[in-house]
Amino acid sequence: QVVRKRISGSNPPGLDMEMIRLFLMGEGKKIICGSSTTEMFSREAHLQVRMNRPSSSPFDPPSYFIPGIDLVTEGCMILNQAFNLLESGQVEVTPSNPASSLVNIFLEADIIHFLVGEAKNPGHTGNVFFTQIGLSPRSEIVSRLARKLEDLGKLAVIQRF
């Protein structure tokens, strides 16, 4: 059985109705990575979002809940953490940890379909914090994740908007 997974890694304001339509109509588990993307998705799809777990530190961002979406979390930080977990080979799934949850979904999948918006997030422009802690920009980390997943025998598809 082929399992199709979706991840939206859009930067605002690049999320549009075509991307939402593709995301919602896709098979398999659905994941949204990005706080701004979450807000925009909720507004455009007319779905309510609520916070599951607040942030306990800059390294442990909040997670959210939207009905019908399997995982909703912060974007750049979680994508980088997921890559680091996959790269290390030390994947320990902790239910309260969004990065581990994302990795677990990736590892269960045969196909991962990334829907990535290319608009720049004004909240990230000139943000030295990301550079200081070694976070790769979203467009770069999604490509690195896709390559890593392919190394693990997965089919990773990136569709940019």
Side-chain angles (χ1 to χ4, degrees):
Q1 176 183 7
V2 175
V3 180
R4 176 159 243 148
K5 307 293 179 183
R6 302 274 180 185
I7 181 169
S8 169
S10 176
N11 291 328
L15 189 65
D16 62 12
M17 289 310 295
E18 175 64 12
M19 186 172 174
I20 290 173
R21 186 187 67 73
L22 287 171
F23 179 78
L24 289 174
M25 293 185 72
E27 298 175 40
K29 293 191 177 180
K30 293 175 176 39
I31 305 159
I32 297 176
C33 291
S35 300
S36 298
T37 301
T38 298
E39 290 175 25
M40 293 174 68
F41 179 86
S42 171
R43 181 182 65 243
E44 297 297 322
H46 307 289
L47 294 170
Q48 187 174 13
V49 61
R50 70 173 166 80
M51 187 176 290
N52 271 348
R53 188 181 57 78
S55 176
S56 61
S57 79
F59 302 102
D60 184 27
S63 66
Y64 306 93
F65 173 79
I66 297 177
I69 308 301
D70 298 283
L71 180 64
V72 184
T73 187
E74 193 279 332
C76 195
M77 177 80 70
I78 295 301
L79 291 167
N80 275 271
Q81 289 178 4
F83 176 80
N84 291 339
L85 286 170
L86 288 168
E87 187 73 3
S88 74
Q90 299 175 5
V91 180
E92 185 177 315
V93 179
T94 308
S96 64
N97 180 322
S100 293
S101 297
L102 180 59
V103 166
N104 187 44
I105 292 171
F106 284 160
L107 293 176
E108 291 172 355
D110 297 313
I111 301 170
I112 300 95
H113 189 165
F114 292 92
L115 301 175
V116 183
E118 294 196 312
K120 297 295 180 210
N121 185 332
H124 297 179
T125 304
N127 190 334
V128 189
F129 176 72
F130 286 171
T131 304
Q132 288 175 323
I133 62 172
L135 292 180
S136 296
R138 183 182 314 257
S139 60
E140 181 183 317
I141 197 61
V142 168
S143 295
R144 291 174 67 198
L145 266 169
R147 284 191 302 274
K148 184 63 182 173
L149 291 165
E150 288 171 347
D151 289 347
L152 296 171
K154 313 294 180 180
L155 174 60
V157 177
I158 300 174
Q159 188 172 354
R160 299 187 187 274
F161 292 83

